[in-house]
Amino acid sequence: MNILEFTKDNLLFLDGGMGTLLQSQGLKPGELPETWNLTHPEIITRIHRDYFDAGSNVVNTNTFGASCLKFSREELDSIVRAAVENARKAARESTGTQPKWVALDIGPLGRLLKPYGDLDFEEAVSVFAETVRLGTKYGADLIFIETMNDSYETKAALLSAKENSSLPVFVSNAYGEDGKLMTGASPAAMIAMLEGMGADAIGVNCSLGPKALAPVVEEYLKYASVPVLLKPNAGLPRAVGEQTVFDVTPDEFADDVAELLRKGVRIAGGCCGTTPAYLYALTAAAADVVPVPVTVKHFTMASSYTHAVVFGDKPVFIGERINPTGKKRFREALRAGDMDYILKEGIAQEEQGAHILDVNVGLPEIDETTMLTNAVCALQAISNLPLQIDTSDPTAMESALRRYNGKAMVNSVNGKRESMDAVFPLVKKYGGLVVALTLDASGIPETADGRLSIARSILETAESYGISGKDIIFDPLALTVSADPQAALQTLEAVRRIRRELGCHTSLGVSNVSFGLPQRDILNGSFFTLALANGLSAAIANPFSQEIQKAYHGYCALMGLDENCQNYIAFAQKNTDIPAAAAPSVSGSDLHRAIVKGLKEPAAAATVQLLSSRKPLDLVQEEIIPALNAVGMGFESKTVYLPQLLMSAEAAKAAFEQIKAAMPADSNGGKCSFVLATVQGDIHDIGKNIVRLLLENYGFDVCDLGRDVAPEVIVRKVTELRAPIVGLSALMTTTVPAMEETIRQLRIHAPWCRIMVGGAVLNPEYAAAIGADHYTKDAMEAVRCAEAIFASLPR
Amino acid sequence: MMPHTVLSGIFPLPEPCRREILRYAGARTHAPELTALLEEALAEAAPALSGKVCWQEFPIVRRPDHLDLGFAQVQSASLEKNLAGCDRIILFAATVGLPLDRLIARYGILSPAKGLMLQAIGAERIEALCDVFCDHIRQEALCAGLRTAPRFSPGYGDLPLELQRDIFQSLDCARRIGLTLNDSLLMSPSKSVTAIVGLGPEAAGHPTTGCPSCPKTDCIHRRIP
């Protein structure tokens, strides 16, 4: 019988702990339990058989850590084969009469994925793939991904299972006492992602006992539309004399789990510390439990690696500013590969209250697939907002969706057949909440009727791809009222009817309504309020627009969506118009002082004022540089400390930004290019970031390649820019060889460049030994050294 | 009942020591703009910090040319000195968690000064966590009539960093506390420590490491006596 068919009408019982039982059989600390499949098959088979005898329907093979990171290909092959055979043999030998299945067990790899670890996502996918293929080949009935405590690794494992096997996949995560995964994901975030990717059952195991896990389980029961599984520990282990005991007895365990079965859990077993005795008790205690039907939960969600955004009554604010359309500076940043610019746009919108960030980096002259994927990964390294992947190129969309950590929004599909055929398969495979524009081959219908009929046809096609209506957000398209006075009315009617007649959520690009009219913000704000009142669920808009913010906060307060008007009050207080007192006049010494004291806003404000009477370059030469020099000399004579040096550098940077804005666009104030990187294998970058900031202050065009950068990447950039100076940083003795290799390659391919090195493990002798030209002990010395090199360059 | 296995727990972190944080940030001053930055960074760091520790006890078996610590065999004169008078060890791993790394990365882009301050907070917090845990071990040992040696980490003295691989294998740090080791022996989350604490009736009890014993006297982080 098919396990999924069985689970439709029955509770499904899993097995209990394996690792703790093996330890009591003599497994040594540090010994790999998977090897026991080969060395002690009789013990492994007996444990499996004891579980089947106790009433388990499913046992997990003893392959928790079986991956090609720990074993050679041949070893892995024989381990997985023996593991499946041991479980099969146990099923044959068991006296239990219940249906029995063997699950290929897959645990975490023990390595953290990039950007905070060193394991690449695709590498993780292919490592899992090896084990999945072997398990499938040797006859497992299902794949059981368990104890995952990182959402990204869970995604890699599930993707791998889906790509390399057609077996059912169960996915179980390990939540801590805070109700989150180690890397921060909430249950709702995991449910959104895993259901989106097509897991057949999802749930919770390990970490804690059944009582302590109950709140997490209840979240699963609230949001999940697939069967929920539970495999808790026998409570917490503690040392008693020379022994370890778990604090929940088999009977308490069975009662607590049975309680959760009555609430709707459909699949249950045990994890660390549980034994066949726990499963006997559980199957007995659950004998009278009537399975609660699994129902579809109508939650429309997008998620990141920490949380889910649920679409409902409270409007969702999607920040629109990561988009090159009409933004010259953004286009320049894209062409220069300046990721920091994009990241700052993201963070600024987050600080303005955006819930989700739209990411559009399409320009005809750049490789959109690479740029979009890199932008998505870089944003996810520093912001936990869910992202809306915005592209018309299906290749770029797939690449970004694949790498995205969570359930992304997808912008967009429309009623044209080719659009749906390109986008829906991606949404089906990777999960996603897709924005559907109500237009088709004949354009945008003028009337709400026309748009609804396209929406219906999109829904129908989505269903045929296995995508339900809750994963579609319709955008019925705001058109400008300057061209058609009925335009806004038709859109509003469409919003209302999509919500009421189709039961789907909607989103609008609000600002289109005012195109071609003066003071667009006024109309945008009013239209936003009207749309919200008609049932709009989300808007893609500029979080820096005052009128949009006013409309949003006003609406939430008036509709009872803002408890005690807290958010409204905070917003209003921040935006109280302070009567414009005459700004005190500012002298050059104020700017000087603001930089020396490291005060960003005052430095920027003083610069703005001074620019009305003095030339930009004069300000730089007469105020900013002398202030920086004073701080730099203070640092060298140890009267100014590192954090103060940095605060001053940031204040100077704020002043420079104002200067740049006042300079003619074509002026190029930079000295020369300076390529900067932390070498391969090393992820420390604070020192490198400090050097970068100071070099920028002193006018170098710094190209910062980031951390953990391969020698080839550094060489390519240096040759591309013909950069005269390279700065390399390493903090660990173990990564100095990578620095040496980078220098070796630079000497071959870029013999002109001078190489400066720095970092905690280096000193002048060591630097010379690995072939560097200069060692600099801190950021000020790096500036001095770079200036000396620059002065010696032929002009 | 089963033999000793890895235990884990969450330990409350004590009030941060601001002076110590400034020392880690390389500052020996309390300039007001600096303390303002510190307070801002502390407030943002607070929700990102947790104190997770996992540990296991092992007997020490002294062999002619190495120490058998149960999870690994180690040749190290400095560890041997540290473990004089001890007959068993607690091997532990501690971390303040990944969210702080994310915050540090975010400010690496937005404000390196605050990024530096957050690094310093992380350094002070993980040391504080280790101290809290070692105090806990010391108290338990006292009840059993034992003393503890100062904690000793891979990389101290001649104790090789490669020992990290054995520690991670043995404590299953990824599963217990979400701590991982990469190919260059770097730990993620970055603000983490692994160490050995010797236990025994005659444990030394006083540090053989730390600032006073370090020859690098011009270090910006050196504690002023």
Side-chain angles (χ1 to χ4, degrees):
Chain A
M1 185 184 218
N2 177 300
I3 187 167
L4 297 179
E5 286 296 321
F6 177 83
T7 311
K8 272 186 187 146
D9 305 313
N10 301 279
L11 297 176
L12 185 75
F13 292 100
L14 307 170
D15 60 3
M18 170 67 81
T20 33
L21 291 178
L22 293 183
Q23 277 167 20
S24 64
Q25 296 283 325
L27 183 79
K28 303 244 171 356
E31 192 183 351
L32 298 172
E34 297 76 23
T35 57
W36 278 37
N37 288 308
L38 297 164
T39 58
H40 301 76
E42 66 296 339
I43 295 180
I44 303 297
T45 303
R46 193 177 70 228
I47 293 173
H48 287 324
R49 195 188 58 218
D50 287 348
Y51 280 121
F52 279 134
D53 286 350
S56 298
N57 298 108
V58 178
V59 303
N60 285 3
T61 54
N62 177 30
T63 50
F64 183 81
S67 78
C68 52
L69 291 181
K70 286 187 186 156
F71 299 99
S72 73
R73 192 158 285 187
E74 294 71 33
E75 282 170 335
L76 185 67
D77 189 291
S78 47
I79 284 172
V80 174
R81 176 185 196 151
V84 176
E85 277 171 10
N86 291 338
R88 280 266 168 256
K89 185 156 181 262
R92 282 194 304 272
E93 291 176 358
S94 164
T95 53
T97 53
Q98 75 279 24
K100 302 185 194 73
W101 290 277
V102 170
L104 174 73
D105 190 46
I106 292 187
L109 299 173
R111 295 259 298 275
L112 190 62
L113 272 64
K114 291 177 180 180
Y116 291 101
D118 67 338
L119 187 62
D120 184 72
F121 178 79
E122 289 300 343
E123 196 186 336
V125 173
S126 48
V127 169
F128 285 122
E130 296 259 352
T131 311
V132 166
R133 282 195 291 262
L134 289 171
T136 310
K137 175 171 138 195
Y138 291 124
D141 301 309
L142 70 149
I143 295 165
F144 200 110
I145 297 165
E146 61 151 318
T147 326
M148 290 284 169
N149 58 19
D150 173 44
S151 64
Y152 211 19
E153 187 179 1
T154 317
K155 172 164 179 172
L158 177 52
L159 189 58
S160 195
K162 287 277 174 191
E163 285 183 338
N164 294 284
S165 171
S166 53
L167 295 176
V169 191
F170 291 8
V171 184
S172 177
N173 287 102
Y175 291 85
E177 283 168 53
D178 57 357
K180 291 175 181 165
L181 302 190
M182 291 277 186
T183 53
S186 68
M190 292 310 296
I191 295 161
M193 180 178 88
L194 297 173
E195 278 198 2
M197 293 177 68
D200 295 293
I202 58 177
V204 182
N205 77 299
C206 205
S207 315
L208 305 164
K211 265 209 179 71
L213 281 176
V216 172
V217 171
E218 280 168 26
E219 287 288 286
Y220 270 77
L221 293 174
K222 175 177 172 189
Y223 289 110
S225 305
V226 296
V228 172
L229 71 89
L230 171 63
K231 219 173 181 280
N233 287 352
L236 294 172
R238 65 200 153 84
V240 176
E242 296 296 310
Q243 301 284 320
T244 301
V245 295
F246 283 83
D247 64 2
V248 178
T249 65
D251 286 339
E252 287 173 67
F253 178 89
D255 287 346
D256 293 345
V257 174
E259 179 72 27
L260 291 165
L261 289 171
R262 284 186 193 96
K263 287 187 172 167
V265 170
R266 295 294 301 266
I267 303 171
C271 199
C272 304
T274 61
T275 61
Y278 285 75
L279 264 295
Y280 267 114
L282 174 58
T283 45
D288 66 339
V289 174
V290 180
V292 178
V294 178
T295 55
V296 175
K297 313 296 188 301
H298 293 279
F299 289 101
T300 292
M301 299 194 277
S303 73
S304 70
Y305 52 85
T306 55
H307 66 282
V309 170
V310 181
F311 289 69
D313 292 338
K314 190 158 182 173
V316 172
F317 203 135
I318 305 168
E320 69 178 10
R321 291 187 51 84
I322 301 179
N323 190 321
T325 311
K327 298 195 196 85
K328 184 162 163 272
R329 179 68 189 88
F330 198 103
R331 285 201 296 271
E332 279 170 17
L334 276 182
R335 285 190 202 104
D338 180 358
M339 194 59 79
D340 281 6
Y341 185 85
I342 296 170
L343 298 181
K344 283 178 188 165
E345 275 295 358
I347 295 171
Q349 294 181 88
E350 181 179 345
E351 285 171 348
Q352 286 292 313
H355 304 120
I356 291 174
L357 300 176
D358 185 83
V359 185
N360 182 323
V361 292
L363 271 188
E365 63 271 35
I366 65 160
D367 171 6
E368 190 183 351
T369 300
T370 307
M371 180 50 95
L372 183 64
T373 310
N374 290 347
V376 162
C377 292
L379 277 162
Q380 288 212 293
I382 53 137
S383 169
N384 66 3
L385 295 189
L387 302 179
Q388 173 166 290
I389 293 164
D390 182 357
T391 176
S392 52
D393 174 355
T395 312
M397 185 181 282
E398 168 152 28
S399 171
L401 271 176
R402 191 176 172 90
R403 285 288 179 138
Y404 181 79
N405 187 356
K407 178 185 180 184
M409 284 191 75
V410 178
N411 192 7
S412 58
V413 71
N414 61 50
K416 294 177 195 161
R417 191 72 221 187
E418 61 272 24
S419 167
M420 294 191 281
D421 288 342
V423 173
F424 284 147
L426 300 181
V427 173
K428 180 65 189 163
K429 177 171 181 184
Y430 299 104
L433 176 55
V434 61
V435 176
L437 310 179
T438 56
L439 61 85
D440 62 13
S442 4
I444 305 172
E446 269 179 35
T447 64
D449 269 341
R451 293 180 207 178
L452 249 82
S453 105
I454 293 176
R456 282 197 181 91
S457 112
I458 291 174
L459 268 184
E460 217 166 88
T461 313
E463 298 277 358
S464 75
Y465 278 96
I467 298 165
S468 90
K470 70 174 182 171
D471 282 333
I472 295 179
I473 299 255
F474 284 105
D475 182 341
L477 299 155
L479 300 177
T480 177
V481 287
S482 66
D484 172 9
Q486 295 297 310
L489 284 173
Q490 292 303 328
T491 304
L492 292 172
E493 186 188 334
V495 165
R496 194 167 62 242
R497 289 177 54 194
I498 286 169
R499 188 91 196 85
R500 191 185 307 152
E501 294 172 27
L502 307 183
C504 288
H505 289 281
T506 51
S507 172
L508 278 174
V510 172
S511 60
N512 293 343
V513 82
S514 60
F515 194 77
L517 292 166
Q519 297 274 352
R520 293 180 60 183
D521 222 19
I522 300 175
L523 274 184
N524 295 347
S526 302
F527 179 63
F528 187 28
T529 304
L530 283 170
L532 288 172
N534 278 279
L536 185 73
S537 318
I540 172 160
N542 178 3
F544 288 92
S545 156
Q546 272 300 308
E547 296 301 325
I548 291 286
Q549 288 280 2
K550 286 178 187 168
Y552 174 81
H553 285 95
Y555 177 83
C556 290
L558 293 170
M559 298 300 286
L561 300 169
D562 179 3
E563 202 176 336
N564 299 327
C565 301
Q566 278 170 0
N567 293 334
Y568 176 79
I569 292 168
F571 171 75
Q573 279 168 347
K574 209 169 64 185
N575 288 279
T576 307
D577 291 334
I578 301 157
S585 69
V586 167
S587 73
S589 63
D590 292 317
L591 175 56
H592 191 282
R593 194 178 320 110
I595 292 173
V596 169
K597 288 277 171 202
L599 306 170
K600 268 191 258 189
E601 284 83 19
T607 308
V608 171
Q609 266 206 43
L610 289 170
L611 279 170
S612 60
S613 55
R614 292 167 68 179
K615 284 189 192 136
L617 282 178
D618 290 351
L619 272 187
V620 173
Q621 290 307 325
E622 291 160 19
E623 307 296 343
I624 301 179
I625 294 290
L628 276 175
N629 281 336
V631 176
M633 282 188 289
F635 179 72
E636 282 157 338
S637 63
K638 299 198 167 70
T639 55
V640 168
Y641 297 102
L642 183 58
Q644 293 168 302
L645 176 72
L646 291 182
M647 291 171 76
S648 292
E650 286 175 25
K653 195 173 175 184
F656 276 124
E657 271 161 20
Q658 299 304 327
I659 301 266
K660 252 189 228 159
M663 302 259 277
D666 56 346
S667 66
N668 184 0
K671 281 182 175 140
C672 66
S673 337
F674 188 115
V675 173
L676 185 63
T678 298
V679 298
Q680 191 161 42
D682 207 324
I683 53 166
H684 294 91
D685 61 358
I686 184 102
K688 183 216 67 190
N689 291 343
I690 291 169
V691 170
R692 169 186 172 165
L693 177 66
L694 265 82
L695 285 169
E696 284 173 345
N697 274 184
Y698 281 86
F700 289 90
D701 296 325
V702 182
C703 172
D704 183 354
L705 297 174
R707 57 189 192 172
D708 190 10
V709 187
E712 300 73 35
V713 175
I714 298 173
V715 167
R716 201 180 313 135
K717 190 48 95 174
V718 171
T719 29
E720 180 192 318
L721 298 174
R722 223 183 150 75
I725 323 178
V726 179
L728 302 175
S729 153
L731 210 87
M732 301 278 291
T733 46
T734 47
T735 52
V736 174
M739 183 179 265
E740 191 171 6
E741 172 59 19
T742 308
I743 294 174
R744 195 187 66 77
Q745 293 194 20
L746 280 169
R747 292 299 181 215
I748 297 169
H749 302 288
W752 65 85
C753 82
R754 303 279 290 274
I755 302 166
M756 297 167 46
V757 298
V761 293
L762 293 165
N763 58 35
E765 296 74 38
Y766 203 177
I770 60 168
D773 295 310
H774 305 278
Y775 163 78
T776 57
K777 72 174 165 61
D778 59 37
M780 267 325 288
E781 211 175 278
V783 168
R784 304 286 186 230
C785 181
E787 293 213 298
I789 296 173
F790 176 67
S792 71
L793 292 177
R795 240 141 273 213
Chain B
M1 298 281 266
M2 49 202 74
H4 268 316
T5 171
V6 184
L7 301 179
S8 57
I10 298 177
F11 288 76
L13 291 163
E15 181 64 14
C17 172
R18 288 163 168 79
R19 198 185 119 152
E20 193 72 351
I21 294 168
L22 288 174
R23 185 176 72 79
Y24 281 118
R28 298 190 187 282
T29 167
H30 290 83
E33 57 280 0
L34 203 55
T35 43
L37 180 69
L38 171 59
E39 292 308 322
E40 236 180 83
L42 273 174
E44 284 192 60
L49 294 163
S50 63
K52 296 195 179 88
V53 186
C54 62
W55 68 96
Q56 184 169 2
E57 190 180 314
F58 295 98
I60 303 174
V61 180
R62 290 187 165 79
R63 309 268 187 214
D65 58 340
H66 68 263
L67 290 172
D68 185 341
L69 296 179
F71 72 96
Q73 298 176 346
V74 184
Q75 279 184 308
S76 160
S78 30
L79 179 63
E80 207 153 334
K81 194 172 155 200
N82 171 271
L83 292 180
C86 300
D87 55 14
R88 69 190 86 170
I89 58 162
I90 298 279
L91 175 69
F92 78 89
T95 181
V96 298
L98 191 62
L100 185 71
D101 281 2
R102 294 196 181 118
L103 205 56
I104 291 171
R106 186 173 165 113
Y107 281 104
I109 291 158
L110 288 184
S111 161
K114 201 187 265 185
L116 175 73
M117 206 54 94
L118 288 163
Q119 288 269 3
I121 290 170
E124 188 273 347
R125 295 285 71 196
I126 184 62
E127 289 295 315
L129 174 60
C130 291
D131 291 346
V132 166
F133 176 72
C134 289
D135 272 344
H136 165 78
I137 295 297
R138 188 175 311 124
Q139 296 304 327
E140 290 213 327
L142 274 178
C143 296
L146 298 175
R147 297 166 48 159
T148 55
R151 66 183 147 96
F152 204 92
S153 291
Y156 284 14
D158 64 353
L159 187 62
L161 209 53
E162 284 68 26
L163 189 63
Q164 290 282 54
R165 297 196 206 282
D166 298 308
I167 297 177
F168 274 74
Q169 177 81 0
S170 173
L171 289 182
D172 202 0
C173 303
R175 181 167 182 180
R176 307 284 161 196
I177 58 172
L179 177 60
T180 61
L181 188 70
N182 78 12
D183 277 343
S184 327
L185 302 175
L186 282 174
M187 292 185 282
S188 299
S190 64
K191 300 303 174 193
S192 304
V193 163
T194 60
I196 291 166
V197 182
L199 296 167
E202 308 289 333
H206 59 80
T208 50
T209 56
C211 291
S213 67
C214 177
K216 192 169 163 54
T217 51
D218 64 342
C219 171
I220 59 165
H221 301 306
R222 193 178 181 89
R223 278 192 181 85
I224 303 167

